[in-house]
């Protein structure tokens, strides 16, 4: 179980999102960032996928081939598995014998137990794990149940293409991403809402798929961030941590590439690139020319 759980953190943002792409015919969420003659590329990642993603649009692949370095949210091979396990034990579990029973009402526990039973996981097996970690795990399991794989996700695809041929630079370390799980605000209303809507994942993902294929950033923002916040305002602290709190560092990584005149191919979760306060928005406000391709 721990090996699978460790890999869940490779897609800590947009954990609910899966796209069935039409490969070379899809536009995708792809931007060019320019300043003073320097160029860097931004691609919105879908963290689960299938073979239908590939080959990707020629313009995207040509940009990758021209790039000097691949920049990703996190490289899961940057530290050895045993170190990752150590970090998980320190961050993903409650301390001092606490369990989810100390953090959730009996009603929410029942919802969680019912959802876990669909995957043949007993409640006792995960009751010491933090709620945020459990939600991420369930989202991953739902994606896999529908036939999607993390290994065919966009970020993993480009990392596999880059290994041995160009440097891979991570924006966040494995430990930083795990510490996010530890810091996730525990909002029971948001947890209940997330557990309840897992039955609708296939429909939700389908709508997001259409937005990604069309390169429709506005619709992607509405589906991934805007609508969920309207439906569950109590979840705002979670979104602030996961998006607003991380976007500036991602934007800074792009700025560093441009200032150093490196041609970087930056792949981060699509939710970080759309809407107010996104990486694209922050770069535009800093005076960079950012154009969707």
């Amino acid at each position: 179980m721990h090996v699978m759980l460790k890999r869940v953190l490779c897609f800590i943002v947009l954990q609910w999102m899966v796209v069935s792409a039409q490969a070379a015919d899809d536009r995708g969420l792809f931007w060019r960032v320019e300043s003073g003659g320097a160029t860097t590329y931004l691609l919105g990642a879908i963290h689960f996928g299938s073979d239908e993603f590939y080959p990707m649009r020629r313009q995207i692949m040509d940009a990758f081939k021209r790039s000097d370095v691949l920049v990703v949210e996190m490289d899961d091979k940057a530290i050895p598995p045993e170190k990752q396990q150590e970090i998980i034990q320190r961050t993903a579990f409650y301390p001092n014998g606490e369990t989810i029973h100390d953090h959730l009402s009996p009603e929410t526990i029942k919802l969680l137990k019912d959802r876990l039973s669909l995957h043949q996981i007993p409640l006792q097996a995960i009751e010491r794990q933090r709620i945020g970690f459990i939600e991420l795990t369930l989202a991953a399991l739902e994606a896999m149940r529908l036939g999607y794989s993390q290994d065919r996700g966009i970020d993993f695809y480009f990392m596999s293409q880059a290994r041995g041929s160009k440097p891979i630079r991570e924006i966040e370390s494995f430990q930083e991403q795990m510490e996010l799980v530890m810091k996730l605000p525990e909002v029971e209303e948001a947890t209940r809402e997330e557990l309840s809507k897992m039955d609708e994942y296939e429909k939700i993902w389908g709508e997001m798929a259409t937005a990604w294929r069309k390169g429709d950033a506005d619709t992607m923002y509405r589906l991934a961030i805007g609508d969920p916040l309207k439906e569950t305002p109590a979840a705002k602290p979670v979104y602030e941590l996961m998006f607003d709190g991380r976007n500036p560092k991602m934007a800074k990584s792009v700025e560093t590439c441009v200032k150093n005149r490196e041609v970087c191919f930056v792949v981060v979760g699509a939710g970080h690139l759309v809407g107010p306060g996104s990486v694209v928005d922050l770069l535009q406000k800093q005076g960079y020319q950012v154009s969707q391709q």
Side-chain angles (χ1 to χ4, degrees), residues 4 8 20 36 49 55 70 80 89 98-99 171 174 176 185 196 214 227 256 260 266:
M4 186 282 293
V8 169
S20 175
L70 172 66
Q89 289 295 327
E98 290 180 45
T99 72
I171 299 170
F174 184 86
E176 286 176 310
S196 297
K214 293 180 177 179
D227 286 353
T256 298
N260 292 342
V266 183

Side-chain angles (χ1 to χ4, degrees), residues 24-153:
D25 293 332
D26 290 338
R27 185 179 181 196
L29 290 166
F30 182 54
W31 286 263
R32 182 183 179 115
V33 182
E34 299 173 283
S35 180
T39 300
T40 274
Y41 300 94
L42 267 174
L43 179 64
I46 309 305
H47 300 300
F48 279 114
S50 70
D51 290 338
E52 294 176 354
F53 269 109
Y54 311 103
M56 297 191 76
R57 180 160 59 108
R58 182 174 178 178
Q59 187 177 6
I60 294 173
M61 295 309 301
D62 286 348
F64 173 71
K65 291 173 184 175
R66 286 195 300 271
S67 65
D68 303 314
V69 59
L70 172 66
V71 181
V72 294
E73 285 183 43
M74 189 270 288
D75 179 3
D76 75 321
K77 296 189 183 301
I79 61 173
E82 56 270 21
K83 180 64 174 177
Q84 295 181 20
Q85 292 293 331
E86 176 188 324
I87 293 170
I88 287 174
Q89 289 295 327
R90 191 170 64 249
T91 56
F93 291 77
Y94 287 118
N96 306 320
E98 290 180 45
T99 72
I100 56 173
H101 298 280
D102 300 309
H103 296 260
L104 295 174
S105 69
E107 292 77 17
T108 306
I109 291 287
K110 184 181 184 305
L111 279 176
L112 175 59
K113 187 176 181 179
D114 291 344
R115 180 58 55 178
L116 288 167
S117 69
L118 297 177
H119 301 283
Q120 292 80 51
I121 300 174
L123 184 66
Q124 293 79 3
I126 55 85
E127 62 184 0
R128 287 197 55 240
Q129 294 173 13
R130 295 180 184 273
I131 295 166
F133 195 62
I134 294 170
E135 289 183 25
L136 288 168
T137 302
L138 281 171
L141 290 170
E142 289 294 321
M144 289 186 280
R145 183 179 65 82
L146 292 171
Y148 296 95
S149 164
Q150 169 208 3
D151 293 336
R152 300 305 287 159

Side-chain angles (χ1 to χ4, degrees), residues 223-236:
L223 292 170
I225 300 175
D227 286 353
L229 280 176
K230 287 181 181 178
E231 294 166 4
T232 315
K236 185 176 180 181

